[in-house]
Amino acid sequence: AQSVTQLDSHVSVSEGTPVLLRCNYSSSYSPSLFWYVQHPNKGLQLLLKYTSAATLVKGINGFEAEFKKSETSFHLTKPSAHMSDAAEYFCVVSGNTGRRALTFGSGTRLQVQP
Amino acid sequence: GAGVSQSPSNKVTEKGKDVELRCDPISGHTALYWYRQRLGQGLEFLIYFQGNSAPDKSGLPSDRFSAERTGESVSTLTIQRTQQEDSAVYLCASSPRTGTLNQPQHFGDGTRLSIL
């Protein structure tokens, strides 16, 4: 079985300050991990993915995430928030060979204050 | 259009009616997935297609829900005798292949279903 826990349902930051969105996972297999972003009334867009290569993964729009096996974490960070980053972010795990679908966290809503 | 296309974008219907939701995946993508997203929640897996067959239907919440795929392309999700708890955004995704699980999925914009 696999699961994902996003530790914060809402995060609010000021424009230009760092962003940290926290994610912990559990998986019986070596997981692949993803972060997706969802803007209002839109589908999900892939930000980045981890697939057992480098533990620090760089994605689009300046986001990156670090895979820490010892902590079973895959936190998403960005050095400087932009107003356009305001959206819902989902941490996702894929690793159960018996199911082809992804397991989604409950999401973190990021607000960026001017 | 190179992306996943879903129609309609919005659907409002009365309780008890049947609805059909359509998904056009990216051309050549063999895997297709349906998810449900209730307000303020993450995505729930419903069903997955490999080609035209559905090896994993484990997420379908009841026998009122069914889906099919034809021509290894278009998929239709059908909800019969809709209930108010069916109100949600239904998202479709496709990926090139399922040989590995690290293939990212490409999502459509979803169909927002509202049951009155």
Side-chain angles (χ1 to χ4, degrees):
Chain A
Q2 59 197 29
S3 66
V4 178
T5 302
Q6 291 185 243
L7 300 168
D8 307 292
S9 59
H10 290 84
V11 170
S12 182
V13 301
S14 298
E15 190 174 21
T17 64
V19 175
L20 169 64
L21 305 183
R22 298 183 293 167
C23 172
N24 287 96
Y25 71 92
S26 67
S27 177
S28 302
Y29 301 84
S30 296
S32 294
L33 293 158
F34 308 81
W35 276 97
Y36 282 83
V37 60
Q38 185 178 33
H39 288 91
N41 299 315
K42 290 291 186 181
L44 282 80
Q45 180 184 17
L46 179 69
L47 276 180
L48 50 81
K49 68 176 183 178
Y50 164 77
T51 57
S52 76
T55 56
L56 182 61
V57 182
K58 294 188 183 298
I60 62 172
N61 300 335
F63 284 94
E64 60 183 37
E66 185 172 8
F67 174 73
K68 292 186 177 180
K69 186 174 181 179
S70 61
E71 299 177 7
T72 61
S73 69
F74 191 57
H75 301 334
L76 182 71
T77 60
K78 182 173 181 178
S80 176
H82 294 170
M83 295 297 291
S84 60
D85 294 329
E88 188 90 17
Y89 291 80
F90 293 95
C91 182
V92 184
V93 63
S94 172
N96 183 341
T97 57
R99 160 172 282 192
R100 299 296 178 176
L102 306 173
T103 300
F104 283 73
S106 56
T108 298
R109 181 165 298 280
L110 176 64
Q111 291 182 313
V112 182
Q113 308 291 341
Chain B
V4 176
S5 177
Q6 291 186 246
S7 61
S9 55
N10 285 281
K11 177 73 175 178
V12 181
T13 192
E14 294 179 347
K15 177 182 172 181
K17 301 286 190 183
D18 297 351
V19 294
E20 283 190 354
L21 312 180
R22 177 187 168 107
C23 173
D24 284 272
I26 293 172
S27 178
H29 280 194
T30 58
L32 186 148
Y33 308 79
W34 283 98
Y35 295 89
R36 178 171 68 180
Q37 184 178 29
R38 288 193 164 123
L39 185 65
Q41 298 184 20
L43 275 69
E44 302 171 65
F45 167 76
L46 296 179
I47 188 170
Y48 144 76
F49 287 91
Q50 171 59 37
N52 292 333
S53 65
D56 191 346
K57 305 179 183 179
S58 61
L60 292 177
S62 77
D63 59 7
R64 297 187 294 105
F65 287 72
S66 63
E68 65 175 16
R69 188 181 185 193
T70 57
E72 298 196 356
S73 179
V74 173
S75 177
T76 302
L77 176 69
T78 301
I79 309 173
Q80 297 178 308
R81 305 181 303 281
T82 52
Q83 305 292 316
Q84 288 187 332
E85 63 262 26
D86 299 334
S87 296
V89 176
Y90 290 82
L91 287 161
C92 176
S94 69
S95 65
R97 52 186 289 216
T98 58
T100 63
L101 288 169
N102 61 11
Q103 292 281 343
Q105 296 178 11
H106 302 262
F107 284 81
D109 287 344
T111 294
R112 184 174 301 275
L113 178 63
S114 300
I115 309 299
L116 302 179

